[in-house]
Amino acid sequence: MSKKIIGRVDKIDFPKLGLYDIDVKIDTGAYTSAIHCSEIIEEDRTLRCIFNSEVHQNFGKTEIIFDTFSHTNVKSSNGYKENRYKVKSEAIFFGKTYKINLTLSTRDDMKFPVLIGRQFLRRKFLVDVDLENVSYLTH
């Protein structure tokens, strides 16, 4: 299987989350992928997530309830460890639907609402840092 070449930033659809044309940063330094989630409520063995942002484009108020979720430790580039919720979803890249694991984090203070990490990229993509919005231009 040949790997697709992607750039350092792109736009992705997350249909199961009701999020479309979302700006993402490709981060080969990150293992897991992360998505902005403004509110997380764990109740009755479910996880209620509100994806909403005044800062990030196309993040209207979407509420999703996950029956299946887990926790994972994430270490940031400055060495700080954080325990985050992790959910499974789908991402559309180059018109193809892929399964993706996403950790939930408040990212309103970050430029991009979503980071795409190595776990998702491996065996599928090569990153060319000179390019931008490569997959988005093809759909």
Side-chain angles (χ1 to χ4, degrees):
M1 183 179 102
S2 67
K3 296 179 184 180
K4 290 212 175 282
I5 295 175
I6 59 168
R8 59 192 161 96
V9 297
D10 218 309
K11 288 183 182 277
I12 298 182
D13 295 337
F14 297 94
K16 287 191 167 184
L17 305 180
L19 300 169
Y20 299 90
D21 294 338
I22 302 301
D23 292 321
V24 300
K25 179 180 180 185
I26 307 304
D27 186 353
T28 59
Y31 179 69
T32 54
S33 299
I35 191 166
H36 170 74
C37 187
S38 54
E39 206 174 327
I40 304 166
I41 301 141
E42 187 176 349
E43 59 189 7
D44 302 326
R45 287 184 290 235
T46 64
L47 199 64
R48 185 159 52 106
C49 301
I50 298 168
F51 298 95
N52 187 33
S53 178
E54 303 292 323
V55 180
H56 298 302
Q57 198 175 3
N58 299 327
F59 257 79
K61 193 163 189 170
T62 308
E63 187 174 312
I64 306 289
I65 295 176
F66 294 95
D67 295 325
T68 308
F69 60 92
S70 60
H71 290 88
T72 190
N73 287 319
V74 176
K75 191 160 95 174
S76 66
S77 58
N78 63 10
Y80 177 72
K81 278 187 184 168
E82 183 182 14
N83 191 274
R84 291 188 193 162
Y85 288 103
K86 182 167 71 173
V87 298
K88 294 179 186 300
S89 194
E90 292 180 349
I92 298 176
F93 230 151
F94 290 97
K96 184 176 175 190
T97 302
Y98 296 94
K99 292 187 182 322
I100 188 169
N101 290 317
L102 296 165
T103 62
L104 306 176
S105 177
T106 304
R107 297 186 53 82
D108 264 340
D109 55 343
M110 305 293 193
K111 184 173 179 184
F112 291 89
V114 177
L115 284 183
I116 301 296
R118 293 189 313 272
Q119 184 182 44
F120 177 78
L121 298 169
R122 63 189 295 243
R123 293 198 197 104
K124 297 185 281 289
F125 302 100
L126 289 174
V127 181
D128 183 337
V129 296
D130 292 326
L131 302 176
E132 292 185 10
N133 298 327
V134 180
S135 81
Y136 189 71
L137 297 173
T138 62
H139 82 275

